Amino acid sequence: MALIAVTTRAVSIALACRTFDISETCYRYERLLSDENAEIADWLERLTTNRKTWGFGLCFLYLRNVKGFEWNHKRVYRIYCELELNLRIRPRKRLQRPKPDALAVPEALNQTWSMDFMQDQLADGRKFRTLNVLDDFNREGLGIEVDFSLPAVRVVRSLNRIIEWRGAPKVIRVDNGPEYISGLLMRWAEQRGISIAYIQLVLSRFSSGLFRAMFAMKEIENGKEIHRRV
């Protein structure tokens, strides 16, 4: 305000300083930082030229911890931006990944089934798994196999039990789990005339609904309780 009064109102410096209650020393003060700012700029340019992957953070830590300069980080960053060094590192471009093909919607029962595993643990820490099978046409749950271990032999046995009363599907959708890519399952499907379709995701909505129902009341404590609820 004192500077404005002096430059626009032709008021003396002494009168302006008395009016705004500041000292003439404060009024006449000029920052003597130009040489130091030039030194900071020189260091930043050298660091970013020799270390092309360094951003502001690494440059500042190097100047503070390695070289021992005690410059304020806000001051160094202001000079860093004035040199437009913050614009030299461009953000990485995201890869344009092709969207997966939409799953074909079956037009009748037993055209396509889906299988998926889910895993959780008991109150004592032991882990158990469930094999869930459903018909993709009407989202009907056809079977749930529960045990602490479900190898390919158990998978085949469960499918045979379902086929006895339901009939065989034309296609079974699975992920790339070890139980699904085993030679036993592949031979079984070939003998039955069933195609195995490998996809990334199959039963998430069905499986999550199943587990919400199982754990709605209390924590499962033993294997018998699992079979009783299922």
Short mmCIF file of all heavy atoms in Angstrom, two decimals, residues 93-133:
data_model
loop_
_atom_site.label_atom_id
_atom_site.label_comp_id
_atom_site.label_asym_id
_atom_site.label_seq_id
_atom_site.Cartn_x
_atom_site.Cartn_y
_atom_site.Cartn_z
N LYS A 93 1.24 -43.52 -21.54
CA LYS A 93 0.00 -43.78 -22.26
C LYS A 93 -0.54 -45.14 -21.85
O LYS A 93 0.19 -46.12 -21.77
CB LYS A 93 0.23 -43.74 -23.77
CG LYS A 93 0.61 -42.36 -24.29
CD LYS A 93 0.75 -42.40 -25.80
CE LYS A 93 1.11 -41.02 -26.34
NZ LYS A 93 1.27 -41.04 -27.83
N ARG A 94 -1.83 -45.19 -21.63
CA ARG A 94 -2.44 -46.46 -21.28
C ARG A 94 -2.62 -47.31 -22.54
O ARG A 94 -2.99 -46.80 -23.59
CB ARG A 94 -3.81 -46.24 -20.64
CG ARG A 94 -3.72 -45.58 -19.27
CD ARG A 94 -5.05 -45.62 -18.57
NE ARG A 94 -4.97 -45.09 -17.22
CZ ARG A 94 -5.97 -45.08 -16.37
NH1 ARG A 94 -7.15 -45.58 -16.73
NH2 ARG A 94 -5.83 -44.59 -15.15
N LEU A 95 -2.34 -48.57 -22.37
CA LEU A 95 -2.50 -49.48 -23.50
C LEU A 95 -3.98 -49.67 -23.81
O LEU A 95 -4.81 -49.83 -22.91
CB LEU A 95 -1.86 -50.83 -23.18
CG LEU A 95 -0.34 -50.83 -22.97
CD1 LEU A 95 0.12 -52.23 -22.60
CD2 LEU A 95 0.37 -50.34 -24.21
N GLN A 96 -4.29 -49.62 -25.07
CA GLN A 96 -5.66 -49.86 -25.50
C GLN A 96 -5.85 -51.36 -25.67
O GLN A 96 -5.46 -51.96 -26.66
CB GLN A 96 -5.93 -49.12 -26.82
CG GLN A 96 -5.85 -47.61 -26.73
CD GLN A 96 -6.93 -47.03 -25.83
OE1 GLN A 96 -8.02 -47.60 -25.71
NE2 GLN A 96 -6.63 -45.90 -25.20
N ARG A 97 -6.45 -51.95 -24.65
CA ARG A 97 -6.67 -53.39 -24.70
C ARG A 97 -8.02 -53.70 -25.34
O ARG A 97 -9.02 -53.06 -25.02
CB ARG A 97 -6.63 -53.99 -23.29
CG ARG A 97 -5.31 -53.73 -22.57
CD ARG A 97 -5.28 -54.42 -21.23
NE ARG A 97 -4.05 -54.13 -20.51
CZ ARG A 97 -2.93 -54.79 -20.65
NH1 ARG A 97 -2.88 -55.80 -21.52
NH2 ARG A 97 -1.84 -54.47 -19.96
N PRO A 98 -8.05 -54.65 -26.23
CA PRO A 98 -9.33 -55.00 -26.85
C PRO A 98 -10.29 -55.58 -25.83
O PRO A 98 -9.90 -56.34 -24.95
CB PRO A 98 -8.93 -56.06 -27.90
CG PRO A 98 -7.64 -56.62 -27.39
CD PRO A 98 -6.93 -55.49 -26.71
N LYS A 99 -11.54 -55.20 -25.95
CA LYS A 99 -12.55 -55.72 -25.03
C LYS A 99 -12.85 -57.18 -25.37
O LYS A 99 -12.93 -57.55 -26.54
CB LYS A 99 -13.83 -54.89 -25.14
CG LYS A 99 -13.67 -53.46 -24.65
CD LYS A 99 -15.00 -52.73 -24.70
CE LYS A 99 -14.83 -51.30 -24.19
NZ LYS A 99 -16.13 -50.56 -24.24
N PRO A 100 -13.01 -58.01 -24.34
CA PRO A 100 -13.32 -59.41 -24.63
C PRO A 100 -14.69 -59.55 -25.26
O PRO A 100 -15.59 -58.73 -25.05
CB PRO A 100 -13.28 -60.07 -23.24
CG PRO A 100 -13.54 -58.94 -22.28
CD PRO A 100 -12.93 -57.71 -22.91
N ASP A 101 -14.83 -60.57 -26.05
CA ASP A 101 -16.11 -60.82 -26.70
C ASP A 101 -17.18 -61.10 -25.64
O ASP A 101 -16.93 -61.76 -24.63
CB ASP A 101 -16.02 -62.00 -27.65
CG ASP A 101 -15.03 -61.72 -28.80
OD1 ASP A 101 -14.86 -60.53 -29.13
OD2 ASP A 101 -14.47 -62.68 -29.35
N ALA A 102 -18.38 -60.61 -25.92
CA ALA A 102 -19.48 -60.85 -25.00
C ALA A 102 -19.84 -62.33 -24.99
O ALA A 102 -19.75 -63.02 -26.01
CB ALA A 102 -20.69 -60.01 -25.42
N LEU A 103 -20.20 -62.83 -23.82
CA LEU A 103 -20.56 -64.24 -23.70
C LEU A 103 -21.85 -64.51 -24.46
O LEU A 103 -22.82 -63.75 -24.38
CB LEU A 103 -20.74 -64.62 -22.23
CG LEU A 103 -19.49 -64.53 -21.35
CD1 LEU A 103 -19.85 -64.91 -19.92
CD2 LEU A 103 -18.39 -65.42 -21.87
N ALA A 104 -21.83 -65.60 -25.21
CA ALA A 104 -23.03 -65.99 -25.95
C ALA A 104 -24.12 -66.42 -24.97
O ALA A 104 -23.87 -67.15 -24.01
CB ALA A 104 -22.70 -67.11 -26.92
N VAL A 105 -25.34 -65.96 -25.21
CA VAL A 105 -26.47 -66.29 -24.35
C VAL A 105 -27.15 -67.53 -24.90
O VAL A 105 -27.62 -67.53 -26.05
CB VAL A 105 -27.47 -65.13 -24.28
CG1 VAL A 105 -28.65 -65.49 -23.38
CG2 VAL A 105 -26.77 -63.87 -23.78
N PRO A 106 -27.20 -68.62 -24.14
CA PRO A 106 -27.85 -69.84 -24.64
C PRO A 106 -29.34 -69.64 -24.83
O PRO A 106 -29.97 -68.81 -24.15
CB PRO A 106 -27.54 -70.88 -23.55
CG PRO A 106 -27.25 -70.07 -22.33
CD PRO A 106 -26.63 -68.80 -22.79
N GLU A 107 -29.91 -70.41 -25.73
CA GLU A 107 -31.33 -70.28 -26.07
C GLU A 107 -32.18 -71.38 -25.47
O GLU A 107 -33.40 -71.37 -25.63
CB GLU A 107 -31.50 -70.29 -27.60
CG GLU A 107 -30.77 -69.14 -28.28
CD GLU A 107 -30.91 -69.20 -29.79
OE1 GLU A 107 -31.47 -70.21 -30.28
OE2 GLU A 107 -30.48 -68.24 -30.47
N ALA A 108 -31.57 -72.33 -24.78
CA ALA A 108 -32.34 -73.42 -24.18
C ALA A 108 -31.54 -74.03 -23.04
O ALA A 108 -30.34 -73.75 -22.88
CB ALA A 108 -32.67 -74.48 -25.24
N LEU A 109 -32.21 -74.85 -22.25
CA LEU A 109 -31.55 -75.53 -21.15
C LEU A 109 -30.50 -76.50 -21.70
O LEU A 109 -30.61 -77.04 -22.79
CB LEU A 109 -32.57 -76.30 -20.32
CG LEU A 109 -33.61 -75.47 -19.56
CD1 LEU A 109 -34.64 -76.39 -18.91
CD2 LEU A 109 -32.95 -74.59 -18.51
N ASN A 110 -29.47 -76.71 -20.90
CA ASN A 110 -28.41 -77.68 -21.18
C ASN A 110 -27.58 -77.35 -22.42
O ASN A 110 -26.85 -78.22 -22.91
CB ASN A 110 -28.98 -79.09 -21.32
CG ASN A 110 -29.29 -79.71 -19.97
OD1 ASN A 110 -29.06 -79.10 -18.93
ND2 ASN A 110 -29.82 -80.92 -19.98
N GLN A 111 -27.69 -76.12 -22.92
CA GLN A 111 -26.77 -75.73 -23.98
C GLN A 111 -25.40 -75.37 -23.42
O GLN A 111 -24.37 -75.81 -23.93
CB GLN A 111 -27.35 -74.55 -24.77
CG GLN A 111 -28.43 -74.92 -25.75
CD GLN A 111 -28.79 -73.76 -26.66
OE1 GLN A 111 -28.36 -72.62 -26.44
NE2 GLN A 111 -29.60 -74.03 -27.67
N THR A 112 -25.39 -74.56 -22.35
CA THR A 112 -24.13 -74.11 -21.76
C THR A 112 -24.24 -74.13 -20.24
O THR A 112 -25.18 -73.56 -19.67
CB THR A 112 -23.77 -72.69 -22.23
OG1 THR A 112 -23.77 -72.66 -23.66
CG2 THR A 112 -22.40 -72.29 -21.71
N TRP A 113 -23.28 -74.79 -19.61
CA TRP A 113 -23.13 -74.71 -18.16
C TRP A 113 -21.89 -73.89 -17.84
O TRP A 113 -21.01 -73.69 -18.67
CB TRP A 113 -22.95 -76.11 -17.55
CG TRP A 113 -24.16 -76.98 -17.60
CD1 TRP A 113 -25.37 -76.68 -18.13
CD2 TRP A 113 -24.25 -78.33 -17.12
NE1 TRP A 113 -26.23 -77.74 -18.02
CE2 TRP A 113 -25.56 -78.78 -17.40
CE3 TRP A 113 -23.36 -79.20 -16.49
CZ2 TRP A 113 -26.00 -80.05 -17.06
CZ3 TRP A 113 -23.78 -80.47 -16.15
CH2 TRP A 113 -25.10 -80.90 -16.43
N SER A 114 -21.81 -73.45 -16.61
CA SER A 114 -20.62 -72.76 -16.11
C SER A 114 -20.20 -73.38 -14.79
O SER A 114 -21.05 -73.79 -13.98
CB SER A 114 -20.87 -71.26 -15.92
OG SER A 114 -20.99 -70.60 -17.16
N MET A 115 -18.89 -73.45 -14.58
CA MET A 115 -18.34 -73.97 -13.32
C MET A 115 -17.35 -72.95 -12.76
O MET A 115 -16.64 -72.29 -13.50
CB MET A 115 -17.60 -75.30 -13.55
CG MET A 115 -18.47 -76.45 -13.98
SD MET A 115 -17.60 -78.04 -13.87
CE MET A 115 -16.18 -77.74 -14.91
N ASP A 116 -17.33 -72.87 -11.45
CA ASP A 116 -16.39 -71.96 -10.81
C ASP A 116 -16.10 -72.43 -9.41
O ASP A 116 -16.94 -73.08 -8.78
CB ASP A 116 -16.97 -70.53 -10.79
CG ASP A 116 -15.95 -69.51 -10.34
OD1 ASP A 116 -14.75 -69.77 -10.52
OD2 ASP A 116 -16.34 -68.45 -9.82
N PHE A 117 -14.92 -72.10 -8.91
CA PHE A 117 -14.54 -72.40 -7.54
C PHE A 117 -14.61 -71.14 -6.69
O PHE A 117 -14.34 -70.04 -7.17
CB PHE A 117 -13.11 -72.96 -7.47
CG PHE A 117 -12.99 -74.40 -7.84
CD1 PHE A 117 -12.55 -74.77 -9.10
CD2 PHE A 117 -13.33 -75.39 -6.94
CE1 PHE A 117 -12.44 -76.09 -9.44
CE2 PHE A 117 -13.22 -76.73 -7.28
CZ PHE A 117 -12.77 -77.09 -8.54
N MET A 118 -14.95 -71.31 -5.42
CA MET A 118 -14.80 -70.26 -4.44
C MET A 118 -14.10 -70.85 -3.22
O MET A 118 -14.17 -72.06 -2.97
CB MET A 118 -16.13 -69.64 -4.05
CG MET A 118 -16.73 -68.75 -5.12
SD MET A 118 -17.98 -67.63 -4.49
CE MET A 118 -16.95 -66.50 -3.55
N GLN A 119 -13.44 -70.00 -2.47
CA GLN A 119 -12.65 -70.45 -1.33
C GLN A 119 -12.87 -69.55 -0.14
O GLN A 119 -13.00 -68.33 -0.28
CB GLN A 119 -11.16 -70.48 -1.70
CG GLN A 119 -10.25 -70.91 -0.55
CD GLN A 119 -8.81 -71.04 -0.99
OE1 GLN A 119 -8.45 -71.91 -1.77
NE2 GLN A 119 -7.96 -70.16 -0.47
N ASP A 120 -12.94 -70.13 1.05
CA ASP A 120 -13.02 -69.36 2.29
C ASP A 120 -12.38 -70.20 3.39
O ASP A 120 -11.80 -71.26 3.10
CB ASP A 120 -14.47 -69.00 2.62
CG ASP A 120 -14.55 -67.67 3.35
OD1 ASP A 120 -13.94 -67.57 4.43
OD2 ASP A 120 -15.22 -66.74 2.87
N GLN A 121 -12.49 -69.76 4.63
CA GLN A 121 -11.88 -70.52 5.72
C GLN A 121 -12.83 -70.61 6.91
O GLN A 121 -13.71 -69.77 7.09
CB GLN A 121 -10.56 -69.90 6.14
CG GLN A 121 -10.66 -68.52 6.75
CD GLN A 121 -9.29 -67.97 7.11
OE1 GLN A 121 -8.28 -68.43 6.60
NE2 GLN A 121 -9.26 -67.00 8.01
N LEU A 122 -12.62 -71.65 7.70
CA LEU A 122 -13.42 -71.88 8.89
C LEU A 122 -12.93 -71.00 10.03
O LEU A 122 -11.93 -70.29 9.90
CB LEU A 122 -13.34 -73.35 9.29
CG LEU A 122 -13.73 -74.38 8.22
CD1 LEU A 122 -13.50 -75.78 8.75
CD2 LEU A 122 -15.16 -74.19 7.78
N ALA A 123 -13.64 -71.07 11.15
CA ALA A 123 -13.24 -70.28 12.31
C ALA A 123 -11.88 -70.70 12.84
O ALA A 123 -11.17 -69.89 13.44
CB ALA A 123 -14.30 -70.42 13.40
N ASP A 124 -11.49 -71.97 12.62
CA ASP A 124 -10.19 -72.44 13.10
C ASP A 124 -9.07 -72.18 12.10
O ASP A 124 -7.94 -72.60 12.32
CB ASP A 124 -10.24 -73.92 13.45
CG ASP A 124 -10.67 -74.79 12.26
OD1 ASP A 124 -10.76 -74.25 11.13
OD2 ASP A 124 -10.91 -76.00 12.47
N GLY A 125 -9.37 -71.52 10.98
CA GLY A 125 -8.35 -71.15 10.01
C GLY A 125 -8.21 -72.11 8.85
O GLY A 125 -7.52 -71.80 7.88
N ARG A 126 -8.84 -73.28 8.90
CA ARG A 126 -8.73 -74.23 7.80
C ARG A 126 -9.52 -73.71 6.59
O ARG A 126 -10.64 -73.23 6.74
CB ARG A 126 -9.25 -75.60 8.21
CG ARG A 126 -8.38 -76.34 9.20
CD ARG A 126 -8.95 -77.73 9.49
NE ARG A 126 -10.29 -77.63 10.09
CZ ARG A 126 -11.12 -78.67 10.22
NH1 ARG A 126 -10.74 -79.86 9.77
NH2 ARG A 126 -12.29 -78.51 10.78
N LYS A 127 -8.94 -73.87 5.41
CA LYS A 127 -9.57 -73.38 4.19
C LYS A 127 -10.39 -74.49 3.55
O LYS A 127 -10.01 -75.66 3.58
CB LYS A 127 -8.51 -72.88 3.21
CG LYS A 127 -7.77 -71.64 3.70
CD LYS A 127 -6.78 -71.17 2.65
CE LYS A 127 -6.06 -69.92 3.15
NZ LYS A 127 -5.07 -69.42 2.14
N PHE A 128 -11.52 -74.10 2.97
CA PHE A 128 -12.33 -75.05 2.22
C PHE A 128 -12.73 -74.41 0.89
O PHE A 128 -12.64 -73.20 0.70
CB PHE A 128 -13.58 -75.45 3.01
CG PHE A 128 -14.58 -74.33 3.19
CD1 PHE A 128 -15.63 -74.15 2.30
CD2 PHE A 128 -14.46 -73.46 4.27
CE1 PHE A 128 -16.53 -73.12 2.48
CE2 PHE A 128 -15.37 -72.43 4.45
CZ PHE A 128 -16.41 -72.25 3.55
N ARG A 129 -13.18 -75.25 -0.03
CA ARG A 129 -13.53 -74.78 -1.37
C ARG A 129 -14.93 -75.28 -1.73
O ARG A 129 -15.40 -76.29 -1.20
CB ARG A 129 -12.53 -75.29 -2.41
CG ARG A 129 -11.09 -74.99 -2.10
CD ARG A 129 -10.19 -75.46 -3.21
NE ARG A 129 -10.26 -74.58 -4.38
CZ ARG A 129 -9.74 -74.85 -5.56
NH1 ARG A 129 -9.13 -76.02 -5.75
NH2 ARG A 129 -9.82 -73.99 -6.56
N THR A 130 -15.58 -74.56 -2.64
CA THR A 130 -16.85 -75.01 -3.19
C THR A 130 -16.76 -74.99 -4.71
O THR A 130 -16.20 -74.06 -5.30
CB THR A 130 -18.02 -74.11 -2.75
OG1 THR A 130 -17.88 -72.82 -3.36
CG2 THR A 130 -18.08 -73.97 -1.24
N LEU A 131 -17.28 -76.02 -5.33
CA LEU A 131 -17.41 -76.07 -6.79
C LEU A 131 -18.87 -75.80 -7.12
O LEU A 131 -19.76 -76.54 -6.71
CB LEU A 131 -16.99 -77.45 -7.31
CG LEU A 131 -17.33 -77.73 -8.79
CD1 LEU A 131 -16.55 -76.80 -9.71
CD2 LEU A 131 -17.07 -79.17 -9.13
N ASN A 132 -19.13 -74.74 -7.85
CA ASN A 132 -20.49 -74.33 -8.18
C ASN A 132 -20.74 -74.56 -9.67
O ASN A 132 -19.94 -74.17 -10.51
CB ASN A 132 -20.70 -72.85 -7.86
CG ASN A 132 -20.20 -72.50 -6.47
OD1 ASN A 132 -20.52 -73.18 -5.50
ND2 ASN A 132 -19.40 -71.46 -6.37
N VAL A 133 -21.86 -75.20 -9.97
CA VAL A 133 -22.24 -75.49 -11.36
C VAL A 133 -23.63 -74.93 -11.59
O VAL A 133 -24.54 -75.14 -10.76
CB VAL A 133 -22.23 -77.01 -11.64
CG1 VAL A 133 -22.54 -77.29 -13.10
CG2 VAL A 133 -20.89 -77.63 -11.24
#
